[in-house]
């Protein structure tokens, strides 16, 4: 398991990992900050950055060695928030002119597919998770926050149903294609829900949070017997978040 921590004394973010029940150890070194992306098998993918540059790196949890993503991934632009599933790497890229792309990169074939693009002020793309045949993310505009599910084999993208007065965020996806999405009224801690959206199904509530509590990220993990757990970072608005787990199946 791995997580990110803001260390106030260093004014920096750090990534820590541990074997379940074991002692934690720090993943990133030097003066670069880091935030987690995802674990696939024994490989942790994370974002390493300073104020001026950002790159995506891999960390072998067995040998505790670090390697960089290919040059085609780590460009002069700002690469951020990676997720890994097998040979598939999902991440965002921001260029100096305000363009943002959501990219799915195949490490085996060294090819990339741009799944989404936006440009302009107050517009953003929040990469979610790639898991097997599915990838999810959220696109932000001045008037909406919309989550999407992409079927990689079919090449199709579906918007998660959303009322006009609700904002979606923190998308993750199970290996069966069920998307897990945060949804709330605009503003922090207002009618916060974690929703599930199965392939070909309808949206349902997994859990709701009390007023004044919110979360920003989720990560879906399916175990060997088919039970899916969703990890999220709930906390009071303006306060410190925690790590929680919700078992959905």
């Amino acid at each position: 398991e791995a997580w990110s921590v803001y260390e106030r004394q260093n004014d920096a973010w750090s990534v820590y990992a541990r074997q379940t029940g074991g002692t934690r150890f720090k993943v990133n070194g030097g003066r670069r900050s880091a935030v987690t992306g995802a674990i696939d098998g024994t490989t942790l993918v994370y974002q390493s950055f300073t104020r001026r540059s950002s790159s995506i790196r891999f960390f072998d949890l067995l040998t505790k060695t670090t390697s960089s993503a290919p040059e085609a991934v780590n460009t002069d632009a700002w690469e951020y928030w990676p997720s890994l599933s097998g040979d598939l790497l999902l991440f965002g890229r921001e260029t100096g002119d305000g363009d943002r792309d959501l990219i799915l990169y195949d490490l085996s074939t060294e090819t990339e597919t741009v799944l989404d693009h936006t440009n302009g002020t107050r517009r953003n793309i929040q990469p979610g998770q790639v898991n097997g045949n599915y990838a999810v993310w959220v696109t932000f505009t001045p008037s909406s926050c919309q989550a999407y599910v992409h079927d990689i084999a079919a090449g199709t993208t579906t918007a998660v149903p959303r009322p006009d007065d609700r904002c979606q965020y923190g998308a993750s996806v199970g290996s069966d294609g069920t998307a897990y999405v945060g949804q709330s009224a605009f503003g922090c801690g207002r009618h916060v829900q974690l929703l599930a959206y199965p392939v070909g199904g309808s949206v349902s509530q997994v859990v709701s949070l009390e007023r004044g509590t919110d979360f920003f990220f989720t990560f879906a993990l399916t175990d060997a017997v088919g039970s899916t757990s969703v990890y999220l970072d709930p906390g009071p608005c303006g306060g410190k978040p925690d790590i929680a787990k919700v078992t959905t199946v």
Side-chain angles (χ1 to χ4, degrees):
E1 53 197 35
W3 62 95
S4 307
V5 176
Y6 175 68
E7 298 175 320
R8 188 176 300 276
Q9 67 274 20
N10 301 321
D11 188 26
W13 285 88
S14 292
V15 170
Y16 289 89
R18 70 179 180 185
Q19 189 172 13
T20 302
T23 303
R24 75 172 192 171
F25 56 89
K26 190 175 180 179
V27 171
N28 57 301
R31 298 182 178 181
R32 298 181 69 88
S33 286
V35 289
T36 52
I39 295 176
D40 183 72
T42 60
T43 301
L44 165 67
V45 62
Y46 68 98
Q47 177 188 350
S48 172
F49 62 97
T50 66
R51 294 182 185 276
R52 296 184 178 181
S53 66
S54 178
S55 60
I56 292 172
R57 297 183 179 181
F58 302 112
F59 184 83
D60 189 310
L61 293 166
L62 295 180
T63 64
K64 296 184 180 179
T65 55
T66 303
S67 59
S68 293
E71 291 183 1
V73 172
N74 287 332
T75 67
D76 291 335
W78 185 273
E79 281 80 28
Y80 64 98
W81 294 2
S83 176
L84 181 69
S85 179
D87 291 321
L88 296 177
L89 177 66
L90 182 74
F91 63 96
R93 175 180 290 152
E94 180 185 9
T95 59
D97 56 4
D99 280 324
R100 289 180 183 263
D101 291 323
L102 181 80
I103 296 171
L104 185 67
Y105 186 86
D106 191 318
L107 295 165
S108 63
T109 62
E110 299 181 347
T111 56
E112 71 174 41
T113 303
V114 177
L115 300 182
D116 203 353
H117 169 83
T118 189
N119 176 271
T121 59
R122 299 177 61 195
R123 295 175 182 271
N124 202 350
I125 295 176
Q126 183 190 49
Q129 182 180 358
V130 58
N131 194 344
N133 184 52
Y134 299 93
V136 293
W137 68 93
V138 180
T139 299
F140 297 89
T141 72
S143 59
S144 69
C145 328
Q146 178 64 59
Y148 296 93
V149 186
H150 181 76
D151 183 315
I152 297 170
T156 56
T157 300
T158 304
V160 178
R162 173 185 62 86
D164 290 339
D165 63 346
R166 292 292 187 265
C167 178
Q168 294 177 340
Y169 50 94
S172 59
V173 64
S175 57
D176 64 351
T178 299
Y180 299 96
V181 178
Q183 182 172 282
S184 70
F186 287 86
C188 182
R190 301 180 60 203
H191 307 291
V192 176
Q193 301 170 292
L194 174 64
L195 305 178
Y197 180 53
V199 176
S202 56
V203 173
S204 62
Q205 177 180 289
V206 177
V207 68
S208 63
L209 276 63
E210 62 182 18
R211 185 174 180 86
T213 302
D214 216 322
F215 64 92
F216 197 61
F217 296 105
T218 67
F219 184 85
L221 181 65
T222 304
D223 63 22
V225 297
S227 178
T228 298
S229 296
V230 181
Y231 294 82
L232 60 157
D233 59 341
C237 296
K240 294 182 179 180
D242 205 344
I243 299 175
K245 180 176 77 170
V246 177
T247 301
T248 63
V249 178

